[in-house]
Amino acid sequence: MGDEITITSGAVVQVDTASLRRAAARVAVDAEGIRGAAERVARAGEALFDAWAVPEARGLAHRCGDAASRLSTAADRLDELGGDLRTAADTYELAELRAQWLSAGDAGDGSRTREGIEERIVVLARRLLGDEQIADADAAWHALARARIELAGRTPRSLEAQVGFVAALAGGIGGALWAGAAMAALRGAIALHTSARGTAAPRAVPPSPRAATVAPAWTAPARPPTGLAAAARRIPGGDAARVRVERYDLPGGRREWMVYVAGTQSAKLGGADPFDMRSNLQLYSGEGAASVDAVRAAMDAAGVAPGEAVHLATHSQGAMIGVALAGADPDVRTLITFGSPVPAEVAPDVLAIDVRHADDPVAALAGPAPVAAQGSSGSVQVSRVVDPLPHLGDATLPAHHMEAYVETARLVEASADPRLAEIERLWQRLGDAERVTRTDFSAARGSLSPASPSAAG
């Protein structure tokens, strides 16, 4: 586990392309090593099979064959992951080069600087598109734009095959093993789409007729969170609750609210649970989703009134919901996101705390950094590498798990970084509350059945 964190001012996603390429090289070495192990195990099985007269030898030979096949499959998956990492590095670099090219023109640096940038753009475009006929930077950008249009034109139905990795968010290694195959196409769509525009599209989702209902699963007194890690632990997940709303009765009759939003809970493309793959696709496309409606319904049911400050703590799909709400609701004053698949694009008066892991493939879906910092002057972006060495356990996306983000939040608190002053003031203000009431809500697209209390802290 990596304990080094990077804190920067403003909710900006920063990607080190050199680190991505080094990771790709390490993955290639590991893939070759695993493939060699598969060959040795297969040879051992063949030798055992020659001793067919011994029953135990036959059984061991079959097991060796199965093990060799699994190792070979794992090596193939690592090869795919290495290719995805190289593709990501190239597409992120393209976005950076575009910004450098524009800056060179604005600064009047002359044609020499731009010529060097254009030569590199041609190299990357040829490699990404597999088109050696691209002659110059102008042709490269036109080719990339055509690829972006083709990718952007895909329907949600055709995207379903590319995003099976989200099954891992709902649990199960089977769904996670689709991650490598899905990431290349989806990351390509994101990076080409973003690099061609320079900035990501606004993520505000306007109010729509409610497509989800909620029911209180648990109501009880609570204590204010003492810091970022305590807030992270309260995000629902793994039980019936999808949204947790805390009401803070402050001195002088004022009220403020903390709203905690779960990530993806179902790999289905529709069904009773609104926190599913369908909502993922809709939110990522900038559309409305039933899970957004569920959070709005929970806030209404809890009694959130216009003009009362709302602070959001979110994970994964919940982070996309938070970005959507922050873009549409002026009462959202704070947005805390863990592992968000989209950039934390919020208004200048919103405090944005964006926490993401550099080795979290879901967070990588946010694409290249926005041109300008997002959020208020006290906003920060936190990054950490959870596990720098690739291994077979990466198939379960450990860097995206909420437990890993809780540990990162703990490290943030321990850093005592002065840029965290504004979020610390929030915890102090909420700590002055005369009464705190917690309500956990279950959610459904259809009718709700009785739910059990949330286990969130």
Side-chain angles (χ1 to χ4, degrees), residues 95-118 121:
E96 294 167 359
L97 288 172
R98 181 181 184 276
Q100 292 171 14
W101 189 89
L102 292 171
S103 297
D106 294 340
D109 289 345
S111 60
R112 181 175 298 180
T113 300
R114 281 193 164 187
E115 286 175 0
I117 295 172
E118 288 169 359
I121 287 171

Side-chain angles (χ1 to χ4, degrees), residues 433-446:
E434 296 172 345
R435 183 175 64 178
V436 182
T437 305
R438 152 198 176 182
T439 304
D440 290 355
F441 291 90
S442 55
R445 282 195 174 92

Side-chain angles (χ1 to χ4, degrees), residues 1-78:
M1 298 281 287
D3 290 340
E4 294 184 4
I5 59 173
T6 300
I7 301 176
T8 57
S9 297
V12 173
V13 182
Q14 297 183 333
V15 178
D16 182 358
T17 54
S19 294
L20 287 175
R21 291 194 173 97
R22 286 195 296 270
R26 289 199 301 270
V27 167
V29 171
D30 286 348
E32 190 62 27
I34 291 174
R35 192 166 281 110
E39 293 173 358
R40 291 192 292 274
V41 171
R43 288 196 298 269
E46 292 170 359
L48 286 166
F49 193 77
D50 290 340
W52 59 270
V54 181
E56 292 81 359
R58 293 200 302 271
L60 284 172
H62 286 301
R63 286 196 289 276
C64 284
D66 290 341
S69 177
R70 289 195 296 272
L71 286 169
S72 180
T73 298
D76 291 341
R77 295 290 187 185
L78 284 175

Side-chain angles (χ1 to χ4, degrees), residues 177-206:
L177 289 177
W178 287 96
M183 285 301 296
L186 191 54
R187 186 185 288 121
I190 299 153
L192 290 175
H193 182 58
T194 312
S195 64
R197 288 187 283 119
T199 59
R203 291 282 171 180
V205 177

